Amino acid sequence: MTDFPHRSIISIEQLSVEEIRLTFERAKNYLANWDDFTAHTTTLTGKTVALAFFENSTRTKFSFEIAARRLGATVLTFTASSSSQQKGESILDTIHTLEAMGVDMMVLRHQSSGIVDFLSQNSSIRFLNAGDGQQNHPTQALLDAYTIENTANKSLNNLRVCIVGDILHSRVARSNIQLLTKLGANVSICGPKTILPKHTPYNVPVIKTIDEAVQENDVLIVLRLQKERMENGLLPSLEEFSKYYGISSSVIAKNPNISLLHPAPVNYGVEIAFDVAQDYPNSFIKQQVTNGVAIRMALLSLINN
Ligand code: CP
C-alpha cells in the first residue's frame, strides 16, 4: 500500500489524517519553491488534465489550471455549452469519449451531488471533485485548514472554529466540518435558523448570535449566501441578514485576535464588510487563494502516483 492510495479525490471522508498531513507537507514544499517555476514542471509531463465546470468558478478553475500547468500537464477546458451535451449526449458518454482520447485526470464541478463519485466509479479517468451540488468541496476545505495552520499559524488541535452563514446550501461547510473535526478542531456553526440544516452534520453545536461566535472562537469561516440555491423566503432581507450575522468592524473588534476566512466570492456588505475583508490584519482571504494552488498541485501529484 502506498502512502496515498487514492486514484480520485471525491470527499474529505475518504482521506485519513496521515494522507491529509502528507497533502499539507507537499503543498508546503511547493510554496517554499513558489518563485522557482521550473522546479516542478515534469511531475505531470505527458499527462492530460481536463477541466469541466458545469457551474461558474474563478478560484477553483484557474487554480487547478495553474496547478496542473506548473506540474507540466497538458490542460484542456471542456465547455458544456459548446459540447455534444447540447445534442443530448449523457455526461457518462462524454467522460467515456474523453477517456478514449487519453484524458488522464478530470477536475469536475457539477450541480448534482454525488456525480463525481458516480463518474469515477464508471471510468478509468482520475477525478478531482471541484464541488458537487451541496455535498462536497474537498479542495476548498483542505486549503482552508492549511491556511489556518500555516498562514494564521494556529494549531488545529482543540482550536475553536465557527462557520458562519448559509450552512444549509454549502458544500464548503460540509467538507470543512468533516476535515476540521478530523484534525481535532472544535467546530460550531452560526446563522439564521432558516439557512441552518435541520440535522447538523457531526452534531456540531449551533451558536445563536454573531457576538458570541466572535467572542467564543479562534477562527471564523464566513460563507457566501448561496442565492442561486436558495428558495424564496428563507431570509426576510439581505439587510436584515447583514445586521444580525454580518461581520463588520464593530463585530470583529469584540475579538481582535480572531482569524477570518472566506472561501469567496464575497458578497461585500452582506456577509462581511469590505474594509474588514480587505484591511483587517487577521483576514486571510487572499492567502487562501494562493494556498489553494499549492494544495491542488499537491493533490494532482499525489493521485498521479
Ligand atoms: N471558493 C470557490 O469555490 O470559488 P469559485 O466558485 O470561484 O471556484
Side-chain angles (χ1 to χ4, degrees):
M1 177 93 82
T2 66
D3 288 346
F4 201 89
H6 307 288
R7 291 178 53 81
S8 289
I9 304 298
I10 308 298
S11 71
I12 293 298
E13 238 161 27
Q14 75 187 90
L15 299 176
S16 68
V17 171
E18 292 72 27
E19 289 156 6
I20 294 162
R21 290 281 162 217
L22 184 62
T23 307
F24 286 1
E25 217 174 279
R26 199 166 282 208
K28 200 174 205 166
N29 264 334
Y30 287 135
L31 283 163
N33 295 298
W34 201 239
D35 296 328
D36 183 4
F37 201 74
T38 56
H40 322 293
T41 49
T42 56
T43 310
L44 292 186
T45 299
K47 301 287 167 144
T48 302
V49 177
L51 308 175
F53 281 69
F54 291 82
E55 282 185 346
N56 296 338
S57 171
T58 300
R59 278 144 284 270
T60 313
K61 184 175 174 188
F62 284 110
S63 72
F64 262 119
E65 177 159 1
I66 291 167
R69 288 188 191 282
R70 279 197 156 204
L71 294 169
T74 300
V75 180
L76 306 176
T77 300
F78 174 84
T79 312
S81 59
S82 59
S83 76
S84 286
Q85 295 221 329
Q86 298 306 315
K87 302 177 198 163
E89 184 173 71
S90 75
I91 189 161
L92 188 56
D93 267 351
T94 303
I95 298 303
H96 287 155
T97 303
L98 295 173
E99 186 181 69
M101 290 178 197
V103 167
D104 300 288
M105 297 180 189
M106 188 139 186
V107 178
L108 181 68
R109 171 172 288 188
H110 200 279
Q111 59 278 12
S112 300
S113 301
I115 197 164
V116 190
D117 191 20
F118 168 75
L119 295 173
S120 73
Q121 288 179 36
N122 288 283
S123 151
S124 64
I125 293 179
R126 294 166 189 236
F127 279 84
L128 293 121
N129 188 350
D132 63 325
Q134 299 179 21
Q135 195 156 285
N136 294 296
H137 196 344
T139 61
Q140 181 68 48
L142 287 162
L143 76 89
D144 289 345
Y146 182 89
T147 302
I148 293 170
E149 278 199 334
N150 294 279
T151 310
N153 291 318
K154 289 181 171 169
S155 160
L156 286 167
N157 197 31
N158 291 324
L159 195 72
R160 300 165 305 166
V161 182
C162 184
I163 306 176
V164 178
D166 183 5
I167 316 291
L168 182 63
H169 301 96
S170 176
R171 53 195 176 210
V172 175
R174 277 170 192 75
S175 289
N176 256 321
I177 290 169
Q178 288 172 15
L179 179 60
L180 294 167
T181 305
K182 219 173 236 202
L183 296 179
N186 298 316
V187 183
S188 56
I189 55 175
C190 176
K193 250 189 184 168
T194 48
I195 50 172
L196 295 183
K198 280 200 181 71
H199 304 287
T200 329
Y202 294 82
N203 291 323
V204 295
V206 177
I207 298 184
K208 285 215 171 78
T209 68
I210 197 68
D211 284 353
E212 287 170 277
V214 169
Q215 281 159 356
E216 294 170 10
N217 283 282
D218 307 299
V219 176
L220 287 189
I221 299 178
V222 183
L223 299 178
R224 182 175 68 87
L225 280 185
Q226 316 254 305
K227 286 180 259 178
E228 72 277 21
R229 296 203 175 91
M230 241 180 236
E231 302 147 33
N232 285 337
L234 284 179
L235 291 174
S237 71
L238 294 183
E239 289 73 20
E240 206 151 343
F241 173 83
S242 175
K243 180 173 170 202
Y244 289 99
Y245 293 97
I247 310 297
S248 61
S249 46
S250 59
V251 167
I252 212 79
K254 296 189 167 116
N255 180 359
N257 292 321
I258 200 162
S259 302
L260 202 58
L261 281 78
H262 190 307
V266 179
N267 297 306
Y268 292 114
V270 179
E271 63 257 6
I272 186 163
F274 181 82
D275 59 326
V276 176
Q278 299 286 326
D279 302 332
Y280 173 56
N282 295 321
S283 165
F284 296 106
I285 299 170
K286 208 168 162 198
Q287 291 92 330
Q288 284 173 268
V289 176
T290 305
N291 292 341
V293 179
I295 285 288
R296 289 166 179 135
M297 285 175 78
L299 290 171
L300 283 163
S301 67
L302 283 166
I303 66 166
N304 185 48
N305 284 338

